Amino acid sequence: MSLKRILGNYLQRSHRFPWIRLKGRRYLIVRMDTTNRCNLRCSMCSMRLADLDPQREWHDIDPVLFNRIAEEVFPKASVVGLSCGAELLVNPDFRTYLERLYRADVPVRDVVTNGILLSSENISIILDSPPTSLFVSIDGATPQTHAEIRGGADLNLITGNMRALVFERDRRGMKFPMLSFSVTLQRKNIMELPDIVRLAHSVGAVSVCVVPLVPYEGLDLTGETIDPASPAVSEQIRLASNTAADLGLIFNPPPIPDTDGELSCPYLENWVYIDPDGRINPCPHWDTAEPLGNLNNQNFSEIWEGPAYRELRNRIKTGEFTGNCAVCPEISGRFGNEIAKC
């Protein structure tokens, strides 16, 4: 049996009752936020732009809206990530949303956090309704580099929190969540990438996932972007990959678009991004001022199969790239273009 078929079978089975096969086709990869707040202000994050908006209202998702998403979207999803642009753990009701996701039988359940709020109490909550993976944003092997990029975050505190999570998980005899590092690669940390892999191993992480910095308009970070295909960067990625192999870790390098082939979007067919106001966006690079729909007044099928999505799919299919699509690094292969992000 092929690996693809084995994986397909796994994604169709209940994680709580593995002898039960799930009904329906799970074709979606969902990233969503249950809040628009965060406890950090990282150098490359659009949250810094939100601070400048006098009309910005800081709030958490309406529980009624979350329940609608759970009922309409989760049954169609093979992957759901609870957090993409904000910090899940600042939402005082995050326990409820983790529990609902767990009960929804979504096979792959991700949480991304900056790790600051992984207190013993929050670790216990996470382990009570465990996601399959917990990604911690780590952008430096040294406290100085990490703090410079991650808004002054204390790397020693974060690594201590991660070790505590792994200890408690193992004490309970659990396999999940698997701990992973999420690294935003840029000039400030490229030379530390092999040491970031070593740090991941030291705290009990099983993988390191790397994405290149995408600069947002207004943050003046084009000078920090790197080209993953350049010789100097490729060498550090190679060293990090070899280090991971030696330590038994999974290393996911940054994607390098095939600009010699037909340009295409890696997100449009099965990814969806949902913000805490119910707005639907098709990818992480989309200008959120122009959502494709809103789950507060539309059901998901109306949006997914509706005119805005159809028009976008037709444009991409015919090679008509406009707005952020025209400067998207994953389509164009150019990582220095600024992206508009409301």
Side-chain angles (χ1 to χ4, degrees), residues 33-192:
D33 278 314
T34 69
T35 182
N36 68 355
R37 300 181 292 130
C38 187
N39 56 324
L40 293 180
R41 290 297 182 268
C42 302
S43 62
M44 63 287 192
C45 182
S46 60
M47 198 74 70
R48 291 173 53 203
L49 300 174
D51 285 339
L52 303 176
D53 181 3
Q55 305 301 317
R56 179 75 167 194
E57 294 183 2
W58 302 101
H59 61 277
D60 304 321
I61 196 169
D62 184 334
V64 174
L65 173 60
F66 185 91
N67 287 335
R68 283 195 61 191
I69 294 169
E71 292 171 1
E72 293 184 18
V73 182
F74 288 2
K76 298 177 174 64
S78 61
V79 180
V80 171
L82 284 188
S83 47
C84 51
E87 173 58 49
L88 171 68
L89 302 186
V90 304
N91 187 330
D93 295 321
F94 85 90
R95 178 202 294 268
T96 301
Y97 302 132
L98 273 181
E99 290 175 348
R100 184 64 193 270
L101 176 60
Y102 187 78
R103 294 198 309 271
D105 250 336
V106 176
V108 179
R109 307 172 306 282
D110 296 341
V111 166
V112 182
T113 176
N114 57 48
I116 292 291
L117 300 178
L118 283 175
S119 62
S120 58
E121 179 182 359
N122 285 343
I123 287 172
S124 182
I125 291 172
I126 290 169
L127 294 179
D128 286 344
S129 302
T132 51
S133 296
L134 189 142
F135 291 87
V136 182
S137 300
I138 299 294
D139 285 331
T142 65
Q144 294 79 11
T145 301
H146 185 76
E148 185 175 353
I149 296 173
R150 287 279 164 186
D154 184 343
L155 182 61
N156 291 327
L157 171 64
I158 296 166
T159 54
N161 290 344
M162 287 189 283
R163 289 187 175 96
L165 181 141
V166 170
F167 176 85
E168 180 61 16
R169 180 200 66 193
D170 294 349
R171 188 189 70 80
R172 295 191 187 193
M174 300 170 62
K175 294 182 179 179
F176 301 115
M178 295 181 290
L179 182 65
S180 297
F181 277 22
S182 177
V183 182
T184 303
L185 202 60
Q186 51 200 281
R187 291 183 182 275
K188 282 189 178 72
N189 63 13
I190 179 63
M191 300 304 293
E192 295 183 19

Side-chain angles (χ1 to χ4, degrees), residues 48-49 52 215-221 338-339:
R48 291 173 53 203
L49 300 174
L52 303 176
Y216 295 133
E217 289 181 358
L219 295 182
D220 193 26
L221 284 175
E338 288 190 326
I339 297 290

